[in-house]
């Protein structure tokens, strides 16, 4: 990925230089630093109030994010709206001899810096606020930044770029993603009917075995529970299924047919994105 690597590096350097020339960048920087310092203290009050300062509490927080994160990404990829290409990318990359699969990976790789920063903060907050052992946070950091990205890159390539999938298949992926969300809702409803609405039932739902056996998202949650709460029969099974799914989706991504058919949708989304950015700069919320 020599040419793409060069483009990625130059894009970061140029955007950094442009940002440093704008006074508003420093204003935003102050606000971000303020939130990084203040929010953890506010969050700590809630953690202490609910008695969640433990590895189990950390697993619960990550589980809550997992409920919507993976299904939402799959829906956006299946609709070919999950990757952001700017017009400069469209004009430079799409006509180039670079393979379409690499162009797909380029869009995903651009998010890694943000993910790196977020996962660093998660690791630090996990150790400081939830009192999670450092070795557990190191394992989670590796999993989140490496393993999870490999799985999501494969999932993105297959659902977004595979020409073996027609429009009917893509709609099926969207329906399947909503079905995953519905599965969690149904498990929550059953838990509520059995135990009522209280903190014990909520935590029982979040840490429950049924949640960890829901395909893909539940398997991710099983890995999180294995890392932070130790092995159980269910989270080990879920982790194995997650590993097998990761291998399968990577193999599928390598073997899939992808000649650039997705370019048309990507160009349309890039145009819409540029219009959105221009409207925001002009103060138009429409």
């Amino acid at each position: 990925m020599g040419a793409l690597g060069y483009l990625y590096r130059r894009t970061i350097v140029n955007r950094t230089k442009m940002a440093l020339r704008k006074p508003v960048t420093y204003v935003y920087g102050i606000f971000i630093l303020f939130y990084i310092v203040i929010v953890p203290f506010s969050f700590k009050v809630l953690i202490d109030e609910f008695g969640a300062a433990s590895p189990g509490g950390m697993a619960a927080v990550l589980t809550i994010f997992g409920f919507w994160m993976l299904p939402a990404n799959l829906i956006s990829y299946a609709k070919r709206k999950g990757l952001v290409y700017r017009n400069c990318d469209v004009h430079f990359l799409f006509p180039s001899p670079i393979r379409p699969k690499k162009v797909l990976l380029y869009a995903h790789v651009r998010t890694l810096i943000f993910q790196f920063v977020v996962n660093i903060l998660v690791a630090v907050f996990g150790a400081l606020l939830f009192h999670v052992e450092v070795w557990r946070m190191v394992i989670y950091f590796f999993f989140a930044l490496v393993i999870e990205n490999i799985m999501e890159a494969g999932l993105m390539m297959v659902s977004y770029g595979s020409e073996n999938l027609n429009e009917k298949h893509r709609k099926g992926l969207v329906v399947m993603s909503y079905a995953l969300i519905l599965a969690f809702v149904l498990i929550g409803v059953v838990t509520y009917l059995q135990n009522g609405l209280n903190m014990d039932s909520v935590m029982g739902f979040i840490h429950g075995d049924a949640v960890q056996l829901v395909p893909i998202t539940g398997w991710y949650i099983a890995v999180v529970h294995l890392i932070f709460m130790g092995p159980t029969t269910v989270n080990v099974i879920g982790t194995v299924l997650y590993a097998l799914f990761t291998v399968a989706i990577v193999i599928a991504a390598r073997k899939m047919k992808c000649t650039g058919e997705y370019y048309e949708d990507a160009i349309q989304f890039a145009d819409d994105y540029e219009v959105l950015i221009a409207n925001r700069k002009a103060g138009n919320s429409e």
Side-chain angles (χ1 to χ4, degrees), residues 48-70:
D48 292 339
E49 182 178 345
F50 288 104
S54 66
M58 186 69 187
V61 171
L62 293 173
T63 295
I64 292 170
F65 279 104
F67 282 148
W68 60 268
M69 186 171 56
L70 287 174

Side-chain angles (χ1 to χ4, degrees), residues 7 11 15 85-93 110 274:
L7 177 62
T11 299
R15 288 185 178 176
Y85 291 101
R86 304 295 298 269
N87 279 336
C88 56
D89 298 323
V90 170
H91 297 317
F92 178 79
L93 292 176
R110 288 192 308 183
E274 295 291 344

Side-chain angles (χ1 to χ4, degrees), residues 28-49:
Y28 287 149
I30 292 173
F31 276 109
I32 291 171
L33 287 175
F34 174 79
Y35 276 105
I36 289 177
V37 173
I38 297 300
V39 169
F41 286 102
S42 302
F43 198 40
K44 187 177 188 304
V45 174
L46 292 174
I47 293 172
D48 292 339
E49 182 178 345

Side-chain angles (χ1 to χ4, degrees), residues 25 128 209 219:
T25 301
L128 295 180
D209 292 343
W219 301 339

